[in-house]
Amino acid sequence: MQLKIVALDGTRPAPKPEPKATEESRAPHPSRVLAPLLTVLAVLRRLLAPATARLSPYAELAAPYVRKLRPEYPRPGREDWRRWLPSWRQWLAGWLALAGLSGLFLTVAYAATDVPTNLNSYATQQDNVYFWSDGTPMARTGWVRRQAMPLKDIPEGVRWAVLAAENESFYSDPGISAKGITRALWRTVGQGDTEGGSTITQQYVKNVYLNQDQNLTRKLTEAMIALKLDNRMSKDKILEGYLNTSWFGRGTYGIQRASQAYYGKDVSKLNPSEAAMLASLLKGAGLYDPTLSAANHRRAVERWSWILDRMVKIGKLSPAERAKYTKFPEPIKTLQIYDTGKQSDYLVELASQYARKNAHLSDKEFDLGGYQIYTTFDRKRESELTDAVTKAREAALKKDPKAARTAHYGAASVATDGRIVAVYGGPDHRKQGYNESNATTVPAGSAFTPFVYAAGLENGVHKTREGPATPVTPESVYNGDDAVPVTTPEGPYWDRSGKKVAAHNDGKRSYGPVSLRQALARSVNTPFMQLGMDTGLENVKATAQAAGLLPSSFGPATPNLSLGTSTPSTIRMASGYATFAADGRHTEPYSVRRVTRNGAGVRLDAPDRRRAVRPEVAQQVSEALADNFRAFHPTAAATTPAAGKDGTTDKDTALWYTGTLKSVSTAIVVYRIDLGKSLEPLPLDGLAGTRENSVPFGIWSRAMGVG
């Protein structure tokens, strides 16, 4: 039963307003805060009860001494201000308590601090370096200039120069310096920074596990990790890591890159004097790089001399040897080892793609760096090919500036063993990112006919649907007239519009009956369209693919396939012709011969090798190509035993030349596309010259050193 109170007038009284919440009312009641703490204390009391009982007799014995340590202020028996000074017992107790609490704090901090499992990826990131085929540096990629070196490859004189400069007690200390940490703490409290006090172990921890923040928390964490790391890693491993992750200025991390940047040589070739100069940079490259200013030079010389003297003092450099180093080892002012941009970037692009794929490296692994990629690119051939195309470009701009602005040049040289020795990818990779040498843009045209010839010689022909193939030889005769209809065993071949398909020769010239060898030597097209039908278009595609062309470059299996509707890159066209020069054995074109990571070998898949055609077939194709070279370029042929052929296309949209000389095949293509409007090839309009004096052949001959 509830009692309701109503007003005398019969109305219900208004409810009392809720008191307005204040900061005090919102605060938790003290009992709520203390309750968990009291519970914990009660549990601890129960757990410690047995130990307390055992220690109680000793506590009674110590009680009188403890009472003496208890401060009584003002102190009895003293007068004036001395009454307020603690006794020596009280001072001792205070220091012991402080030491105990500090020890307890450090013990807890040590136990609570774990060595991170993930390294600072930036601190361990390295650059990738690419080398020419002769082993000289070509280019480098990556955000940082760093190459890790095993400690065994760093001379002892270099190691001890660094240790003398930074931490001579490295091999005996526990990974931290108590004196240095105290100094750092004093600076933090007194002046607001954390300078000084770091051992090499601590600096290594800061480099690879932490950041460069200057605060007390980071300094304490650094010290705890350094202690643990010193117990887990060998001193040599810590030193190796430090030498490979430290900043030396000039954009370099690690002693190897520093050695190259300041002295132009590997770290293994440094002497103690040069090492002492590099060690001085660890104190601050901006202040000690002697090439930056006169003040820097003075500081660098002073510290260099001090480091050498320290090496003598700790017994790592004899006085006699120290006497040799009286002249400061001036570093080079600048060192341009790498030629980045323009052509080298096209080479790097090809090599990096090949290395990732054939070394089975993920993008993340490759981007972390540290790889040395030894390419197949020949510096001399690359220079000659680039110069040849550049001259052709310049001549085109003078002759017809409007047409030349839309002209494109692709070029590649491939050896018979599959090595890509040179490419021309474009005028400048920074302006034109795609690679002309690897582009599948325009059809091969009549440059494809050697593959049709090889397919006929390899497989024979079928004039009927049944029965075995009839062998074909270089002397087999076909009709070389223009506009000869293409036939099948059932009769003429009709296209979808109901017209008979017929082949045409350049200039619509007729040659009458001609042998296949003569047809290839004289660039007669019509026999090869019919030969392709007789051999079987699938056999033609299979032979061209076995020789090096990619399946993706082939168009529909129609009669025009034999006259080059496929769109191979210059690399693949050069590779296909190289197969004939290699007696019919094809090696997949490759741009990297070896990969290492910080000197250790990385497994690299070998390029595929296969027999494309029989040796006698390859020889017959090569002989016909040599005939073609002699027929169209008699002056050059008088002194050069080359084999090659041009390639014309329908509607004059591209002109090719591919030839082999001294076991290297080079393919050149010139075409026009206005990329600002469409991807449709445009007529050359005379930009590529004539067959007898074509621009592609001119580039080929200059690049190959012919005539």
Side-chain angles (χ1 to χ4, degrees):
M1 180 175 178
Q2 293 182 343
L3 178 65
K4 295 182 179 180
I5 301 175
V6 297
L8 294 175
D9 60 359
T11 61
R12 183 172 296 174
K16 273 188 176 184
E18 292 289 334
K20 188 176 181 180
T22 63
E23 290 296 329
E24 293 182 358
S25 64
R26 283 196 296 264
H29 194 274
S31 61
R32 294 182 181 178
V33 177
L34 294 174
L37 181 60
L38 293 174
T39 302
V40 172
L41 291 174
V43 172
L44 287 174
R45 187 179 300 154
R46 285 198 299 272
L47 292 175
L48 296 175
T52 303
R54 282 195 295 268
L55 294 174
S56 59
Y58 302 102
E60 292 177 3
L61 292 174
Y65 301 98
V66 173
R67 280 194 296 271
K68 289 183 179 180
L69 293 174
R70 187 174 58 191
E72 295 183 26
Y73 289 96
R75 289 179 62 196
R78 297 289 189 275
E79 296 180 359
D80 303 327
W81 56 269
R82 289 175 295 176
R83 301 171 60 196
W84 302 100
L85 286 179
S87 68
W88 67 268
R89 297 184 187 88
Q90 292 165 345
W91 279 113
L92 178 61
W95 281 112
L96 289 175
L98 179 61
L101 290 173
S102 299
L104 178 62
F105 173 76
L106 292 175
T107 301
V108 172
Y110 181 84
T113 303
D114 292 324
V115 177
T117 55
N118 295 324
L119 299 181
N120 178 347
S121 60
Y122 183 78
T124 55
Q125 186 179 1
Q126 304 175 57
D127 53 1
N128 293 323
V129 184
Y130 297 78
F131 298 88
W132 294 102
S133 59
D134 63 2
T136 56
M138 180 181 76
R140 73 172 184 88
T141 60
W143 293 104
V144 298
R145 292 182 62 182
R146 179 192 287 115
Q147 180 190 341
M149 293 292 290
L151 193 65
K152 63 181 179 61
D153 295 334
I154 301 174
E156 282 199 20
V158 177
R159 303 182 215 169
W160 279 105
V162 171
L163 292 174
E166 295 292 306
N167 185 188
E168 65 183 54
S169 63
F170 170 73
Y171 279 100
S172 60
D173 66 38
I176 64 171
S177 166
K179 180 180 178 181
I181 291 177
T182 303
R183 183 168 63 250
L185 291 174
W186 174 257
R187 281 182 165 272
T188 301
V189 175
Q191 300 180 23
D193 61 37
T194 57
E195 293 180 6
S198 291
T199 63
I200 277 180
T201 306
Q202 288 175 260
Q203 292 181 55
Y204 173 62
V205 167
K206 180 175 64 175
N207 288 345
V208 302
Y209 294 115
L210 305 175
N211 54 42
Q212 305 299 316
D213 291 346
Q214 298 291 332
N215 57 58
L216 187 57
T217 301
R218 200 273 297 156
K219 194 71 179 178
L220 180 62
T221 304
E222 171 194 298
M224 295 301 104
I225 295 177
L227 279 171
K228 283 197 170 182
L229 202 66
D230 194 75
N231 290 326
R232 296 183 185 182
M233 287 178 67
S234 69
K235 288 288 189 178
D236 282 350
K237 273 296 179 183
I238 294 172
L239 180 59
E240 178 183 294
Y242 173 75
L243 290 173
N244 285 320
T245 57
S246 295
W247 167 254
F248 285 86
R250 294 195 181 183
T252 63
Y253 288 86
I255 194 73
Q256 167 73 344
R257 283 288 178 266
S259 178
Q260 293 171 339
Y262 288 90
Y263 290 107
K265 56 187 174 183
D266 286 346
V267 66
S268 60
K269 298 178 181 178
L270 290 176
N271 61 42
S273 177
E274 294 163 334
M277 201 295 292
L278 293 180
S280 70
L281 299 170
L282 293 167
K283 195 170 179 64
L287 295 173
Y288 288 89
D289 182 345
T291 63
L292 297 180
S293 68
N296 272 27
H297 193 278
R298 287 193 298 273
R299 280 190 290 266
V301 172
E302 181 180 348
R303 187 157 178 82
W304 160 80
S305 180
W306 177 84
I307 292 172
L308 289 175
D309 291 341
R310 294 291 296 177
M311 292 178 70
V312 173
K313 182 179 179 181
I314 63 178
K316 299 303 177 181
L317 188 68
S318 69
E321 191 171 9
R322 170 66 179 94
K324 297 178 184 177
Y325 303 125
T326 57
K327 185 178 180 182
F328 181 69
E330 300 287 351
I332 54 181
K333 290 187 177 180
T334 58
L335 178 62
Q336 183 61 40
I337 300 178
Y338 311 105
D339 174 24
T340 56
K342 296 189 177 180
Q343 286 306 304
S344 66
D345 283 355
Y346 294 113
L347 307 183
V348 166
E349 181 182 59
L350 286 173
S352 65
Q353 290 172 353
Y354 186 91
R356 291 171 197 244
K357 179 181 178 182
N358 289 273
H360 305 284
L361 299 172
S362 67
D363 289 346
K364 180 179 179 181
E365 289 174 318
F366 196 76
D367 290 343
L368 282 176
Y371 294 96
Q372 296 79 50
I373 297 97
Y374 296 87
T375 74
T376 59
F377 302 124
D378 184 294
R379 185 200 290 265
K380 183 173 182 292
R381 286 185 179 275
E382 179 64 31
S383 176
E384 290 171 343
L385 182 61
T386 300
D387 289 346
V389 178
T390 301
K391 289 178 180 177
R393 278 186 176 278
E394 292 171 350
L397 284 168
K398 290 180 180 179
K399 180 181 178 181
D400 189 344
K402 184 178 179 181
R405 281 195 292 270
T406 57
H408 297 267
Y409 301 76
S413 296
V414 179
T416 53
D417 60 2
R419 289 175 296 116
I420 303 174
V421 296
V423 300
Y424 179 85
D428 189 335
H429 189 271
R430 291 165 294 189
K431 298 177 181 177
Q432 177 184 293
Y434 68 92
N435 190 336
E436 297 277 16
S437 71
N438 209 26
T440 55
T441 307
V442 293
S446 56
F448 185 80
T449 55
F451 301 106
V452 184
Y453 183 41
L457 297 174
E458 183 76 13
N459 298 284
V461 298
H462 288 270
K463 292 296 185 180
T464 62
R465 292 297 181 191
E466 298 179 356
T470 302
V472 168
T473 70
E475 304 309 318
S476 297
V477 176
Y478 273 73
N479 191 339
D481 287 341
D482 185 65
V484 175
V486 177
T487 62
T488 68
E490 291 76 29
Y493 185 95
W494 302 82
D495 64 18
R496 292 185 177 181
S497 64
K499 295 181 180 180
K500 291 181 180 180
V501 174
H504 294 279
N505 294 318
D506 287 341
K508 298 188 175 181
R509 181 180 174 184
S510 292
Y511 294 84
V514 62
S515 71
L516 290 175
R517 177 172 178 169
Q518 288 177 325
L520 189 59
R522 299 168 67 184
S523 292
V524 183
N525 295 336
T526 52
F528 293 103
M529 184 177 280
Q530 185 60 55
L531 178 63
M533 295 298 293
D534 295 344
T535 303
L537 296 178
E538 291 304 320
N539 285 334
V540 172
K541 288 172 65 175
T543 300
Q545 183 178 336
L549 272 62
L550 295 175
S552 58
S553 68
F554 296 117
T558 62
N560 285 329
L561 174 73
S562 297
L563 291 187
T565 58
S566 62
T567 57
S569 65
T570 56
I571 291 176
R572 287 291 168 174
M573 184 64 83
S575 175
Y577 275 53
T579 298
F580 301 131
D583 292 328
R585 289 194 64 84
H586 172 71
T587 303
E588 278 292 288
Y590 64 99
S591 56
V592 178
R593 56 188 175 85
R594 184 165 64 98
V595 176
T596 61
R597 191 166 196 272
N598 299 328
V602 175
R603 183 180 176 276
L604 189 70
D605 291 345
D608 291 336
R609 292 179 171 84
R610 58 178 177 266
R611 176 155 293 286
V613 295
R614 300 191 308 274
E616 58 270 25
V617 170
Q619 182 65 30
Q620 290 164 345
V621 175
S622 296
E623 289 172 352
L625 291 172
D627 291 344
N628 185 289
F629 185 76
R630 285 190 290 269
F632 287 95
H633 308 287
T635 303
T639 57
T640 306
K645 189 184 183 308
D646 61 3
T648 57
T649 59
D650 186 33
K651 299 180 182 179
D652 188 37
T653 56
L655 187 60
W656 291 77
Y657 193 84
T658 309
T660 304
L661 176 63
K662 296 179 181 179
S663 300
V664 174
S665 290
T666 298
I668 314 291
V669 64
V670 179
Y671 61 97
R672 286 181 62 220
I673 289 181
D674 189 346
L675 295 173
K677 295 181 178 179
S678 75
L679 296 178
E680 193 68 25
L682 302 172
L684 287 169
D685 292 338
L687 187 68
T690 63
R691 172 182 289 178
E692 291 75 14
N693 188 27
S694 72
V695 170
F697 177 76
I699 294 172
W700 182 90
S701 60
R702 283 192 292 271
M704 302 294 279
V706 175

